[in-house]
Amino acid sequence: MLKWRELETDERENWYHAHICRDFPADEVKPFETLESLIQKGKYHCYLFFDESGAAAYAYTMTEGRFTLLDYLAVEPERRGKGIGSAVLPILTGTLVPNGNTMLIEAENPACAQDLSDRTIRLSRVRFYKGAGMKMTEVLENTFGVEYRILTGAAACSDPEAMQGLEAVYRAMLPEAVFNQNFSVRLP
């Protein structure tokens, strides 16, 4: 059975460099200093999921108002394909996302894949989230040149509300000039 805890101050920088920088493309990794600043404001949380075998997964979330963005979610490489991610999502939506909040999930848009292999990976991610009960919206987001399809979990919301929630989260996360230059959200 998975347990969880927040990463301690003295663990976060090492975890960031050893795990986030390993598991995510460089263009999707926010600067460590940005994350730490948000943690100090009480808006950002770094969760470690573990069991008797050790670290299994991690998730980073950003909350603004009634919306919580699943900023990063990864399962440790040697533990992938064993149901860990599927066990983490209910903990997030049922326990760690504030009561009444909608969780917003960004999945790289399969329609923007560069090749068949990339498309297969993107479709697999979308299937994973949908299989865990997340709802696909029509919302499209472009952040730092990466286009995402948006899914939601926990409390339901409309697509226009999801758009407003994403905008609020990113406005709280990024300096205004960076936000204006690198974030857009729309319905097709």
Side-chain angles (χ1 to χ4, degrees):
M1 182 166 141
L2 282 181
K3 298 177 183 175
W4 64 271
R5 66 176 178 82
E6 287 201 52
L7 289 173
E8 300 291 335
T9 303
D10 60 344
E11 297 174 296
R12 290 194 300 258
E13 187 168 9
N14 180 56
W15 195 270
Y16 172 89
H17 292 292
H19 297 268
I20 289 182
C21 293
R22 170 196 71 194
D23 295 330
F24 292 89
D27 61 354
E28 294 181 26
V29 176
K30 294 168 189 71
F32 176 73
E33 295 75 20
T34 298
L35 303 183
E36 282 297 302
S37 172
L38 294 166
I39 289 167
Q40 298 311 311
K41 294 176 183 174
K43 294 178 176 277
Y44 205 87
H45 299 276
C46 311
Y47 300 108
L48 173 64
F49 297 86
F50 59 95
D51 58 19
E52 62 282 345
S53 298
Y58 62 92
Y60 285 35
T61 64
M62 167 70 185
T63 297
E64 180 63 26
R66 67 177 199 89
F67 294 93
T68 299
L69 175 69
L70 179 57
D71 203 17
Y72 300 106
L73 170 64
V75 174
E76 287 299 297
E78 67 278 2
R79 309 284 302 269
R80 292 179 185 160
K82 298 176 180 164
I84 301 288
S86 296
V88 166
L89 282 170
I91 297 169
L92 285 167
T93 59
T95 303
L96 300 177
V97 170
N99 191 30
N101 271 28
T102 298
M103 185 166 66
L104 302 168
I105 301 166
E106 302 162 316
E108 291 173 306
N109 191 346
C112 299
Q114 296 182 7
D115 56 37
L116 185 57
S117 174
D118 185 31
R119 181 174 169 76
T120 300
I121 291 168
R122 291 174 183 218
L123 286 169
S124 175
R125 288 182 187 139
V126 169
R127 276 193 305 274
F128 163 73
Y129 286 119
K130 288 174 75 175
M134 305 303 114
K135 307 288 186 238
M136 179 64 77
T137 70
E138 294 297 317
V139 177
L140 299 172
E141 171 198 339
N142 191 298
T143 305
F144 294 98
V146 180
E147 184 162 294
Y148 298 97
R149 291 291 312 267
I150 304 304
L151 296 98
T152 61
C157 74
S158 68
D159 286 3
E161 289 171 321
M163 288 175 56
Q164 292 171 347
L166 277 168
E167 184 174 332
V169 167
Y170 273 95
R171 279 191 184 280
M173 194 180 314
L174 301 172
E176 185 175 352
V178 175
F179 171 86
N180 290 335
Q181 189 173 13
N182 296 289
F183 177 86
S184 66
V185 62
R186 70 185 193 290
L187 287 170

